[in-house]
Amino acid sequence: MALKDERKIKKTESCPFQEAMDLISGKWTMSIINVLMGGKMRFKELERSVVGINTRMLVKELKQLEHKKIIDRTAFATMPPTVEYALTEKGERLKPVLTEIQVWAIKNMS
Amino acid sequence: MALKDERKIKKTESCPFQEAMDLISGKWTMSIINVLMGGKMRFKELERSVVGINTRMLVKELKQLEHKKIIDRTAFATMPPTVEYALTEKGERLKPVLTEIQVWAIKNMS
DNA sequence: CAGCATCCGTTAGGATACTG
DNA sequence: CAGTATCCTAACGGATGCTG
């Protein structure tokens, strides 16, 4: 049986800015990208690194990010299975965005 | 009767980064901030400038942004009423974030 | 390990009529 | 003009059990 929980993975978008915002929005998205900035990671490592996320959410986010070419998924046919997630070039280029958000956050929150 | 649609205006947050993301997330948030970068605006002007938004969403977002000190609301007791929205200093400082997102969007979307 | 499936409650978001 | 109120659907998010 196919994946049941799979929705359209997004809707009608307009300008590039909106599309980008659409990508960036999402409770866990940027956190995941953030930890992946440190290098490739396995599923379980991610689950531990992104504090508070649960399996379903992580799977969902990873799928969306993969679909949008922000991350690459590499599976190894070992037993038990090994899967590595890493940022693509496109994903790496989000670095400045991340940086600016963090700079702003540190200076302006709390 | 008090406002019915008013929810908690957000939940438990953790680190400054998450708080910032929490703020930035939201379909219309950055678009609104973006048009306000061009200078103060009235409610109706905003409604026209932020293409696709509807009254309820605009009111909601503006309320949140005001609450988070990103924008200032100034009302004039004229008839018909006049209300102006403008970015605060804190809001203005989001400029670099906006810029980086736009740069990324243009280079990496579609 | 790396996931998928299922149940389920909470928010986000949208359309639109109405008011001071 | 600047919102409010009401009704609704869709998407988000969480907990947890199961499987190749």
Side-chain angles (χ1 to χ4, degrees), chain A residues 12 16-21 23-28 30-31 34 70 89-94 96-98 100-102 104-110, chain B residues 16-21 23-28 30-31 34 70 89-98 100-102 104-110:
Chain A
T12 46
F17 176 69
Q18 274 304 326
E19 284 184 62
M21 279 315 302
L23 167 70
I24 287 172
S25 306
K27 188 170 176 182
W28 305 106
M30 291 306 258
S31 297
N34 200 18
I70 305 296
E89 277 297 310
K90 187 175 172 184
E92 295 275 7
R93 284 194 287 269
L94 275 169
V97 176
L98 232 7
E100 287 303 337
I101 293 174
Q102 284 166 333
W104 185 87
I106 291 167
K107 287 191 190 157
N108 298 280
M109 301 308 281
S110 74
Chain B
F17 176 69
Q18 275 303 328
E19 283 184 61
M21 278 316 302
L23 166 69
I24 286 173
S25 306
K27 188 168 176 182
W28 304 106
M30 290 307 257
S31 296
N34 199 20
I70 304 297
E89 277 296 311
K90 185 176 172 184
E92 296 275 7
R93 283 194 287 269
L94 275 169
K95 184 77 174 177
V97 176
L98 230 8
E100 288 302 338
I101 293 174
Q102 283 165 333
W104 185 87
I106 290 166
K107 288 191 190 157
N108 299 280
M109 302 308 281
S110 69

Side-chain angles (χ1 to χ4, degrees), chain B residues 38-94:
Chain B
K40 63 174 190 273
M41 273 204 181
R42 300 178 57 178
F43 187 86
K44 211 63 180 183
E45 291 181 290
L46 278 170
E47 200 166 13
R48 277 188 293 264
S49 301
V50 183
V51 184
I53 201 170
N54 64 39
T55 312
R56 200 179 72 90
M57 278 300 116
L58 183 54
V59 171
K60 227 169 151 178
E61 291 287 342
L62 289 174
K63 214 164 276 183
Q64 283 189 24
L65 290 172
E66 189 192 355
H67 179 79
K68 295 184 177 181
K69 312 290 186 194
I70 304 297
I71 63 174
D72 268 334
R73 197 189 96 113
T74 315
F76 301 96
T78 52
M79 190 56 193
T82 304
V83 180
E84 283 178 355
Y85 292 92
L87 292 173
T88 59
E89 277 296 311
K90 185 176 172 184
E92 296 275 7
R93 283 194 287 269
L94 275 169

Side-chain angles (χ1 to χ4, degrees), chain A residues 27 42 64 67 73 75 83 93 99 101 103:
Chain A
K27 188 170 176 182
R42 300 179 57 178
Q64 283 188 25
H67 179 77
R73 197 190 96 112
V83 180
R93 284 194 287 269
T99 305
I101 293 174
V103 167

Side-chain angles (χ1 to χ4, degrees), chain A residues 31-73:
Chain A
S31 297
I32 293 172
I33 294 174
N34 200 18
V35 311
L36 282 178
M37 283 288 168
K40 62 173 191 270
M41 272 204 183
R42 300 179 57 178
F43 187 87
K44 212 63 182 182
E45 290 181 291
L46 278 170
E47 201 167 10
R48 276 189 293 264
S49 301
V50 183
V51 185
I53 201 170
N54 65 39
T55 313
R56 200 179 72 89
M57 280 299 116
L58 183 54
V59 171
K60 229 170 152 179
E61 291 287 341
L62 289 174
K63 213 166 276 181
Q64 283 188 25
L65 290 173
E66 189 191 355
H67 179 77
K68 295 183 178 179
K69 312 290 186 193
I70 305 296
I71 62 173
D72 268 333
R73 197 190 96 112

